[in-house]
């Protein structure tokens, strides 16, 4: 159920039937029960691990608030956070660092086989771990008081719409809503339906249709023309965006149906005019988390220029490592860190439309090239892919035909390609309206005509099945 979009929505429907029959003060219990059932459908062990981590985090937070001295407070902060990071390290990073150490020893002439732990990565562990760390840090900084109700805290950590791929919700907003008791709100309900329709269009129509092409070309770039490598990189940018932002829209929309407001996670990032703007629009809950709990504690920008650059690079390297246990992610984070350092900090005055268009295209191109490292299996594979894109590029009719072929492998590839392009154009027009049209001053808007168009798109062109979300593995 946790890996299937339609089963998740059916599960939500079943929860809603009971949810609004219960009094508002009791609805937190239904949310917790639904979250436990949802996560247990993936693995009972994963649920036990997440539940025990949450209980420890809650206990340590309560003890931190009871302490009398700064030293004791700091001690409970470390006791609260270090076990969480330890669990994350063992399940997600141990094999990576073990293999890296073994490779380093080989370079030094000291042969050593890496120690490998055969552990299944718990779903959403990076997301719920960051939730708990932010709760602990906010307690330490005095931004909030400890949550006295264990059940509310477990509901916050395990909230089933967000458990797989976020958004990384902050504790204060979510827990305040639980204490008030989620209530029926027709406006919030309508927004939830709109977000779900948008999320389904992004995920089922665009991301799922692009996945086969991207997988085929990235698996064997040498078997296809260089044009296909360019197309696959371009399509991967949209597959990743539509898959992840589609999940965020679904998660926020499901929360809205349950009377829970969540923070925005994407704001049309590919319309960004520079890399700094991109990171203010892409995966906002993560980028703001890294700013508040990594960059600022390191000193932020209120230090010397040298230390500020160090802080920027460390923050982006942490971002890369957060995404996965591979040097490709570290390289991707490093690329974005260097790019941020090289970009101008402020844009003065109003930018002319032609210049804005040029800046947006360059930013999108740079982000797309960075995604090649994000997608590749290794640094060597990423560099080989880039070489394939550049060397031997040609644009003959045969190249064009063979570059479209990976969609289906037969003569239907042209129709499939045109369908994908049409859907991408629709998404572009919708987001253009969000950025530059009447909806630009609103956090979210999806008019009835757009709902109808996207709903028809899902019904006619949606690719259904047990297709998981890309970011669930991070």
């Amino acid at each position: 159920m946790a890996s299937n979009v339609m089963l998740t929505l059916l599960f939500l429907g079943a929860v809603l039937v009971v949810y609004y029959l219960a009094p508002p003060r009791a609805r937190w219990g239904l949310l917790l029960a639904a979250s436990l059932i949802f996560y247990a459908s993936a693995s009972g062990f994963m649920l036990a691990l997440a539940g025990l981590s949450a209980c420890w985090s809650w206990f340590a937070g309560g003890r931190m608030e009871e302490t009398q001295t700064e030293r004791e407070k700091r001690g409970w902060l470390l006791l609260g956070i270090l076990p969480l990071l330890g669990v994350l390290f063992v399940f997600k990073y141990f094999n990576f660092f073990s293999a890296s150490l073994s490779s380093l020893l080989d370079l030094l002439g000291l042969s050593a086989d890496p120690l490998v732990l055969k552990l299944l990565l718990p779903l959403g562990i990076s997301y719920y771990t960051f939730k708990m760390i932010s709760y602990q840090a906010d307690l330490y900084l005095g931004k909030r008081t400890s949550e006295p109700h264990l059940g509310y805290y477990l509901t916050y950590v395990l909230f089933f719409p967000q458990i797989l791929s976020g958004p990384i919700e902050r504790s204060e907003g979510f827990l305040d809503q639980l204490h008030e008791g989620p209530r029926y709100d027709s406006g919030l309900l309508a927004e939830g339906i709109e977000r779900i329709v948008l999320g389904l269009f992004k995920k089922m129509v665009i991301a799922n249709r692009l996945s086969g092409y991207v997988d085929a070309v990235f698996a064997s770039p040498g078997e296809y023309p260089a044009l296909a490598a360019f197309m696959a990189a371009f399509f991967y940018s949209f597959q990743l965006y539509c898959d992840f932002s589609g999940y965020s829209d679904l998660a926020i929309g499901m929360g809205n149906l349950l009377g829970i407001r969540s923070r925005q996670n994407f704001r049309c990032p590919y319309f960004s005019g520079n890399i700094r703007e991109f990171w203010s629009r892409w995966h906002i809950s993560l980028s703001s988390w890294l700013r508040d709990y990594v960059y600022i504690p390191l000193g932020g920008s209120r230090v010397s220029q040298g230390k500020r650059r160090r802080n920027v690079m460390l923050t982006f390297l942490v971002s890369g490592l957060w995404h996965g246990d591979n040097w490709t992610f570290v390289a991707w984070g490093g690329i974005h860190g260097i790019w941020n350092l090289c970009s101008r900090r402020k844009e003065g005055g109003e930018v002319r439309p032609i210049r804005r268009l040029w800046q947006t295209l360059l930013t999108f191109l740079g982000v797309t090239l960075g995604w090649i490292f994000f997608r590749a299996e290794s640094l060597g594979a990423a560099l080989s892919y880039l070489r394939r894109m550049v060397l031997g590029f040609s644009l003959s009719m045969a190249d064009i035909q063979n570059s479209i072929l990976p969609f289906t492998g037969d003569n239907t590839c042209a129709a499939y390609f045109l369908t994908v392009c049409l859907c991408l154009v629709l998404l572009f027009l919708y987001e253009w309206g969000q950025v530059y049209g009447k909806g630009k001053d609103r956090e979210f808007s999806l008019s009835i005509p757009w709902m109808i168009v996207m709903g028809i798109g899902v019904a006619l062109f949606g690719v259904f099945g047990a297709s998981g979300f890309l970011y669930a593995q991070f």
Side-chain angles (χ1 to χ4, degrees):
M1 177 169 63
S3 63
N4 189 294
V5 179
M6 303 315 294
L7 282 180
T8 300
L9 291 177
L10 288 174
F11 177 74
L12 172 68
V15 172
L16 285 172
V17 170
V18 182
Y19 187 71
Y20 282 110
L21 294 177
R25 290 291 180 184
R27 287 172 186 165
W28 74 267
L30 289 172
L31 287 182
L32 178 57
S35 299
L36 294 173
I37 294 170
F38 181 84
Y39 204 61
S41 71
S43 167
F45 170 75
M46 291 182 188
L47 174 62
L49 181 68
L52 289 173
S53 297
C55 288
W56 173 250
S57 172
W58 174 81
F59 172 76
R63 293 302 301 271
M64 186 196 307
E65 194 170 57
E66 294 172 358
T67 58
Q68 302 298 318
T69 66
E70 180 66 21
R71 182 178 179 181
E72 291 177 323
K73 192 175 183 180
R74 190 180 298 111
W76 275 108
L77 174 67
L78 294 175
L79 285 173
I81 289 179
L82 290 180
L84 304 178
L85 292 176
V87 171
L88 182 64
F89 175 82
V90 168
F91 279 89
K92 189 171 182 177
Y93 299 109
F94 181 88
N95 291 343
F96 167 64
F97 280 101
S98 177
S100 298
L101 178 60
S102 177
S103 298
L104 178 61
L105 291 175
D106 285 342
L107 289 175
L108 297 174
L110 303 173
S111 179
D113 294 328
L115 177 62
V116 177
L117 299 179
K118 296 181 179 180
L119 299 172
L120 186 65
L121 180 66
L123 290 172
I125 187 172
S126 298
Y127 294 92
Y128 68 70
T129 298
F130 271 28
K131 276 186 175 183
M132 292 185 284
I133 290 175
S134 66
Y135 170 79
Q136 297 280 336
D138 287 347
L139 278 175
Y140 178 76
L141 296 171
K143 293 181 178 180
R144 62 158 298 123
T145 58
S146 64
E147 171 54 52
H149 198 299
L150 176 59
Y152 284 1
Y153 187 72
L154 286 172
T155 305
Y156 159 67
V157 173
L158 301 174
F159 186 49
F160 74 90
Q162 299 174 354
I163 190 68
L164 295 184
S165 298
I168 307 172
E169 197 68 31
R170 301 294 176 89
S171 61
E172 61 273 12
F174 190 96
L175 290 171
D176 288 347
Q177 292 181 82
L178 285 189
H179 281 287
E180 292 171 3
R183 299 179 182 277
Y184 174 81
D185 183 327
S186 59
L188 193 60
L189 187 73
E191 182 179 322
I193 295 172
E194 293 169 358
R195 281 194 177 275
I196 288 173
V197 171
L198 176 61
L200 287 174
F201 181 79
K202 289 179 178 177
K203 168 61 180 171
M204 311 305 290
V205 179
I206 298 179
N208 283 5
R209 280 186 170 270
L210 292 174
S211 63
Y213 185 95
V214 171
D215 290 346
V217 177
F218 268 89
S220 304
E223 296 181 7
Y224 301 99
L227 176 61
F230 272 98
M231 289 173 57
F234 173 81
F235 284 143
Y236 180 65
S237 290
F238 285 101
Q239 180 202 0
L240 184 67
Y241 169 59
C242 289
D243 190 283
F244 190 23
S245 70
Y247 178 89
S248 292
D249 287 324
L250 288 169
I252 294 170
M254 289 190 288
N256 289 350
L257 295 185
L258 295 164
I260 300 293
R261 289 188 179 276
S262 300
R263 63 191 307 171
Q264 184 85 326
N265 209 24
F266 289 87
R267 290 193 180 96
C268 309
Y270 290 152
F271 283 88
S272 303
N274 56 67
I275 193 60
R276 292 174 183 272
E277 184 182 353
F278 174 81
W279 277 103
S280 71
R281 293 175 174 271
W282 175 274
H283 202 349
I284 299 167
S285 64
L286 174 64
S287 58
S288 62
W289 193 100
L290 292 170
R291 178 198 65 208
D292 294 343
Y293 303 109
V294 178
Y295 180 68
I296 292 177
L298 287 172
S301 58
R302 296 183 178 182
V303 290
S304 65
Q305 278 290 82
K307 289 183 177 179
R308 184 189 69 82
R309 295 189 185 97
R310 178 206 63 187
N311 296 343
V312 169
M313 282 303 300
L314 286 175
T315 301
F316 276 99
L317 291 175
V318 169
S319 173
L321 195 58
W322 177 88
H323 281 88
D325 55 341
N326 194 316
W327 286 109
T328 56
F329 295 111
V330 178
W332 171 79
I335 290 169
H336 277 266
I338 294 170
W339 191 359
N340 268 264
L341 289 176
C342 293
S343 65
R344 284 189 290 181
R345 301 191 67 183
K346 292 183 179 179
E347 286 284 351
E350 189 172 334
V351 180
R352 289 182 296 176
I354 295 297
R355 185 181 179 190
R356 174 71 183 186
L357 175 61
W358 178 245
Q359 290 174 335
T360 301
L361 289 174
L362 286 178
T363 302
F364 175 73
L365 177 61
V367 169
T368 296
L369 291 175
W371 287 139
I372 293 172
F373 288 87
F374 195 89
R375 176 61 177 78
E377 296 294 328
S378 66
L379 290 175
L383 295 174
S384 296
Y385 193 94
L386 288 169
R387 282 196 298 270
R388 180 59 181 163
M389 290 174 63
V390 175
L391 300 178
F393 183 83
S394 60
L395 197 60
S396 66
M397 184 57 67
D399 288 326
I400 294 173
Q401 291 174 341
N402 290 329
S403 296
I404 297 174
L405 191 63
F407 272 111
T408 59
D410 55 33
N411 291 331
T412 64
C413 61
Y416 204 99
F417 170 73
L418 292 174
T419 300
V420 166
C421 290
L422 173 62
C423 294
L424 286 173
V425 168
L426 288 174
L427 180 65
F428 171 82
L429 293 174
Y430 165 72
E431 295 204 346
W432 177 277
Q434 292 291 289
V435 176
Y436 298 110
K438 294 180 180 179
K440 64 181 180 180
D441 295 325
R442 297 177 57 188
E443 185 175 85
F444 173 78
S445 63
L446 185 66
S447 64
I448 291 177
W450 273 116
M451 276 193 65
I452 294 172
V453 169
M454 291 183 177
I456 292 173
V458 172
L460 296 180
F461 303 118
V463 178
F464 299 89
S467 56
F469 293 94
L470 293 178
Y471 258 71
Q473 63 188 295
F474 303 140

